[in-house]
Amino acid sequence: MKHRVVITGLGAITPLGSSVTKYWEGLKAGKSGIAAIASIDASALPVRFAGEVKDFDPTEYMERKEAKRTARFTHFAVAAAKQAWADAGLDKDALDMERVGVFIGSGMGALDVIEEETLKLRDKGADRVSPFLIPSVIVNMAGGNVAIHLGAKGPNLCHVSACSTGAHAIGDAFRQLQFGEVDVMLAGGTEATITPLAIAGFASAKALSTGHASGDPTRASRPFDVDRNGFVMGEGAGVLVLETLEHAKARGARILAEVVGYGLTDDAHHITMPAPEGEGVQRAMKKALKEAGLEPQDVDYINAHGTSTGANDKYESAAYRGVFGAHAKKIPISSTKSMTGHLLGAAGAVEAIACVMVLNEGILPPTINLETPDPECDLDYVPNAARQAEVDVCMTNNMGFGGHNASLVFRRFA
């Protein structure tokens, strides 16, 4: 027997603010979190703007000594997980902690620490390399540190599937709960790659936006607009608390939404380009809808991957036409990356949180900077202003380098 799975807690560190409230208020307001890079010297970089987290102090979530010995992507994960834990009203003294798991992934891990320590090795010698290098940079250390902080002794895995990481972590946590392996899962993604090497690497791959003609960084991320020219790097973390319905009810938890469908596929096509017509993500969406027992016309809102790159937005639009047919033009679809930038391994998690908030408030976040729609992106992308709507079913999609696709379906709890 499969268990029903519900969401009972949320935590977010984003370029729009370091709480779910700040993140959601920013999305509803159509506010951009993109600005000139301030955390590193970007003067010699080909791109000098990003979606940085600006109001974050890791010592609000861990001791100062620990903060110095751990990487920024771990700081974000621990903070988002503690927010989600508190939001869900969890108490470890009332839980079987061997049945509480953590799936928190990252696309790149501690690239900032690797860069710093590599320069130290070159300039000062091997004996100056930090003894905390390895436990800082291993990608699973975000989830490992979350487990240590919360005392979670159940399954702990680190998903690494590029920009689909956060969605895969949530989907696989859903599976753990469906099959009764655990009672509670903390799931999501974290990323902190506003570093010289990451900016240079993505820019060299021609994936990053080179900016808007106005010179205004807040206008650079423009999904589905004919003048888009690449994605804007973002950073942050999102973590959700998922529980079996029985467990949530037994402890009197507030239920925010239900997870009802998960589909994952691979394009098997190209290392960076999505498959033509979004063939891979089409299959992921169909699998998620089939599991949810829903028809395409049952979907009320989609949070798009919507990176603001030429190929992604065109093929994602084609994928929606392929799955939803004539109904595709009736479904409001928005890309919140227009406001946050692209949080890479954390994107799927913070976008899932946006879907949960849509289900609870009936407000659709907009796609900002959508001034001249691309004729090949001819769907309702909720341009520039939030919109009220009756929403019972949300879908969120992510597509990653390597061809990794993930679709999640959430439903208003009833």
Side-chain angles (χ1 to χ4, degrees), residues 362-398:
I363 299 175
L364 310 180
T367 303
I368 68 167
N369 299 320
L370 183 46
E371 296 165 347
T372 309
D374 184 335
E376 295 189 275
C377 305
D378 58 348
L379 306 178
D380 175 8
Y381 289 109
V382 194
N384 302 312
R387 183 189 304 168
Q388 288 193 314
E390 286 289 326
V391 180
D392 291 317
V393 175
C394 286
M395 170 182 276
T396 183
N397 297 309
N398 290 103

Side-chain angles (χ1 to χ4, degrees), residues 105-108 139-140 158-165 168 404:
S106 180
M108 308 283 282
V139 185
N140 64 299
C158 173
H159 293 70
V160 182
S161 54
C163 308
S164 295
T165 294
H168 279 140
H404 302 281

Side-chain angles (χ1 to χ4, degrees), residues 32 47 64 88 99 149 163 187 265 309 324 330 359 381:
S32 174
V47 174
R64 186 172 300 279
R99 292 183 59 79
H149 273 266
C163 308
T265 64
T309 60
F324 296 94
K330 299 178 182 176
L359 287 169
Y381 289 109

Side-chain angles (χ1 to χ4, degrees), residues 82-407:
K82 285 191 166 183
Q83 288 181 11
W85 181 272
D87 189 46
L90 292 168
D91 175 2
K92 70 178 182 180
D93 292 334
L95 298 171
D96 178 351
M97 295 304 291
E98 294 184 7
R99 292 183 59 79
V100 177
V102 178
F103 284 0
I104 296 179
S106 180
M108 308 283 282
L111 194 57
D112 52 343
V113 177
I114 293 172
E115 289 180 41
E116 291 167 8
E117 295 298 322
T118 299
L119 293 175
K120 198 183 293 182
L121 173 65
R122 185 195 67 184
D123 298 337
K124 298 180 180 179
D127 60 344
R128 300 296 297 275
V129 171
S130 170
F132 298 103
L133 168 65
I134 303 305
S136 292
V137 305
I138 303 174
V139 185
N140 64 299
M141 279 301 172
N145 278 288
V146 167
I148 291 167
H149 273 266
L150 299 178
K153 296 183 178 180
N156 194 317
L157 287 176
C158 173
H159 293 70
V160 182
S161 54
C163 308
S164 295
T165 294
H168 279 140
I170 295 165
D172 286 349
F174 169 55
R175 291 277 184 265
Q176 287 283 315
L177 290 155
Q178 274 187 315
F179 290 100
E181 296 291 328
V182 287
D183 299 323
V184 178
M185 290 293 300
L186 287 96
T190 183
E191 204 73 85
T193 48
I194 299 177
T195 77
L197 190 60
I199 296 287
F202 278 107
S204 291
K206 308 297 183 189
L208 287 187
S209 170
T210 54
H212 186 261
S214 66
D216 180 357
T218 67
R219 300 180 70 184
S221 183
R222 31 196 327 108
F224 309 110
D225 189 277
V226 73
D227 291 327
R228 68 189 184 278
N229 58 17
F231 78 80
V232 176
M233 185 85 80
E235 64 174 357
V239 174
L240 296 83
V241 173
L242 282 66
E243 298 182 57
T244 61
L245 177 60
E246 301 96 308
H247 191 269
K249 280 187 169 179
R251 70 180 187 88
R254 173 202 54 173
I255 295 173
L256 298 170
E258 182 172 3
V259 189
V260 292
Y262 172 41
L264 64 166
T265 64
D266 195 275
D267 289 350
H269 171 68
H270 190 270
I271 56 172
T272 59
M273 291 282 287
E277 305 303 306
E279 179 273 337
V281 76
Q282 284 197 44
R283 287 185 287 112
M285 286 189 278
K286 290 176 180 175
K287 287 164 72 86
L289 287 171
K290 182 178 181 181
E291 179 173 31
L294 296 171
E295 298 297 326
Q297 60 269 25
D298 295 325
V299 177
D300 300 310
Y301 167 73
I302 298 173
N303 189 296
H305 191 51
T307 57
S308 184
T309 60
N312 179 96
D313 294 1
K314 179 176 70 173
Y315 290 142
E316 188 172 3
S317 299
Y320 293 134
R321 290 191 292 270
V323 172
F324 296 94
H327 189 64
K329 291 198 173 186
K330 299 178 182 176
I331 305 174
I333 304 168
S334 59
S335 169
T336 44
K337 290 185 180 74
S338 60
M339 294 170 273
T340 63
H342 190 351
L343 275 58
L344 306 180
V350 297
E351 290 158 14
I353 289 171
C355 285
V356 173
M357 297 307 295
V358 167
L359 287 169
N360 280 271
E361 294 197 4
I363 299 175
L364 310 180
T367 303
I368 68 167
N369 299 320
L370 183 46
E371 296 165 347
T372 309
D374 184 335
E376 295 189 275
C377 305
D378 58 348
L379 306 178
D380 175 8
Y381 289 109
V382 194
N384 302 312
R387 183 189 304 168
Q388 288 193 314
E390 286 289 326
V391 180
D392 291 317
V393 175
C394 286
M395 170 182 276
T396 183
N397 297 309
N398 290 103
M399 306 148 69
F401 281 4
H404 302 281
N405 306 297
S407 295

